[in-house]
Amino acid sequence: MWPCAMDTPLEKALATLVCTFHKYSGREGDKLTLSKRELKELVKNELGLGERLDGGIEQLMKSLDKNSDQEIDFKEYSVFLSTLCMAYNEFFQESRK
Amino acid sequence: MWPCAMDTPLEKALATLVCTFHKYSGREGDKLTLSKRELKELVKNELGLGERLDGGIEQLMKSLDKNSDQEIDFKEYSVFLSTLCMAYNEFFQESRK
C-alpha cells in the first residue's frame, strides 16, 4: 500500500493525512474528491478548530476550491493542511517564547 | 502550546509534522530553519525514502530552497511535505485498484 515501511512518526503522520482524506472522500459522489458535506464532516470530526471556523464551511470551501468545481481534490486538501500546519507552527513558536 | 486539544489522529499528525521540523531545525545555526545538514539528518532518520533520494540532498535542497538562502524555512518544509503527501496518495490510490 505504501512506498516504504512507514515506520517513523513522520511517515505515520503523512499516512494519516492521506487516510483521513479517503475516509471522507469515499462517502458520496466522486470517491477521490471531498464534496462540501464531506469537507464539513472532516473538519467537524477531525479538527478541533471546526466549531470556530469563522465564515463557516462556505468560506472554507470557496478558499480551497481553486478550480471551482465544487469539490476538493487531494491537491487542494494538501494546500489546506499546509496552511493549517503553518498556523500550528506559529502557535508552537509563540508558546516557546 | 497548541491552539486546541489536538486529540484527533489528524491533529496529532499535524503536530508531528511541526515537532519533527523543530527537532532538527534547532540543532545548529538559525533555530527556525533547516541547514543542508539538518535537512539531510531529517530525511535520513525520518523518511524511509531517504536512501533512495535520487540526486541526493543537493538536489532536494535546491528544489525546496525557493529564496536561495541555503536554509529551509517552515513554509518551504511544508511544501516538501505536501509534495510527499501527493506521492503517498498516488501509491495509496494505485494500491486500491
Side-chain angles (χ1 to χ4, degrees):
Chain A
M1 165 121 96
W2 298 111
C4 50
M6 308 296 268
D7 291 335
T8 69
L10 184 59
E11 288 168 332
K12 287 187 175 117
L14 293 170
T16 299
L17 304 189
V18 174
C19 293
T20 302
F21 177 83
H22 290 281
K23 180 177 162 186
Y24 291 87
S25 68
R27 293 186 171 187
E28 64 177 17
D30 184 331
K31 297 296 175 213
L32 298 180
T33 59
L34 294 169
S35 63
K36 184 161 56 175
R37 181 161 45 183
E38 288 168 333
L39 176 66
K40 189 173 182 180
E41 287 300 300
L42 188 153
V43 168
K44 201 180 85 194
N45 300 333
E46 306 291 343
L47 289 169
L49 295 173
E51 297 80 34
R52 284 179 279 158
L53 210 62
D54 33 1
I57 210 72
E58 299 291 337
Q59 192 58 37
L60 179 63
M61 190 77 184
K62 229 166 107 190
S63 64
L64 299 182
D65 185 15
K66 297 297 180 210
N67 59 2
S68 311
D69 63 351
Q70 312 309 313
E71 297 279 330
I72 304 300
D73 62 30
F74 190 84
K75 188 164 169 45
E76 292 163 336
Y77 166 76
S78 68
V79 169
F80 173 46
L81 293 184
S82 256
T83 311
L84 268 180
C85 239
M86 306 279 285
Y88 285 149
N89 182 54
E90 265 160 45
F91 272 102
F92 182 89
Q93 286 179 198
E94 280 306 310
S95 69
R96 296 177 82 189
K97 278 178 182 161
Chain B
M1 165 120 98
W2 299 109
C4 50
M6 308 298 266
D7 291 337
T8 70
L10 185 60
E11 287 167 333
K12 286 186 177 121
L14 293 170
T16 300
L17 304 188
V18 174
C19 293
T20 302
F21 176 84
H22 290 282
K23 179 177 164 186
Y24 290 87
S25 67
R27 292 186 173 188
E28 64 177 15
D30 183 332
K31 298 294 176 213
L32 298 181
T33 60
L34 294 169
S35 64
K36 184 161 56 174
R37 181 160 47 183
E38 288 167 335
L39 176 66
K40 189 173 182 178
E41 286 300 302
L42 187 154
V43 169
K44 199 180 86 192
N45 301 334
E46 307 290 342
L47 288 170
L49 296 173
E51 295 81 33
R52 285 178 279 159
L53 209 63
D54 30 341
I57 210 72
E58 299 291 339
Q59 192 58 38
L60 180 62
M61 188 78 184
K62 228 165 105 192
S63 67
L64 299 182
D65 184 15
K66 298 297 181 209
N67 59 2
S68 311
D69 63 351
Q70 313 308 314
E71 296 280 332
I72 303 298
D73 61 30
F74 191 82
K75 187 165 169 50
E76 292 164 335
Y77 166 76
S78 70
V79 169
F80 173 46
L81 292 183
S82 257
T83 311
L84 268 180
C85 238
M86 305 277 285
Y88 284 148
N89 181 54
E90 265 158 48
F91 273 102
F92 182 89
Q93 287 179 197
E94 282 305 312
S95 70
R96 297 176 82 190
K97 279 179 182 160

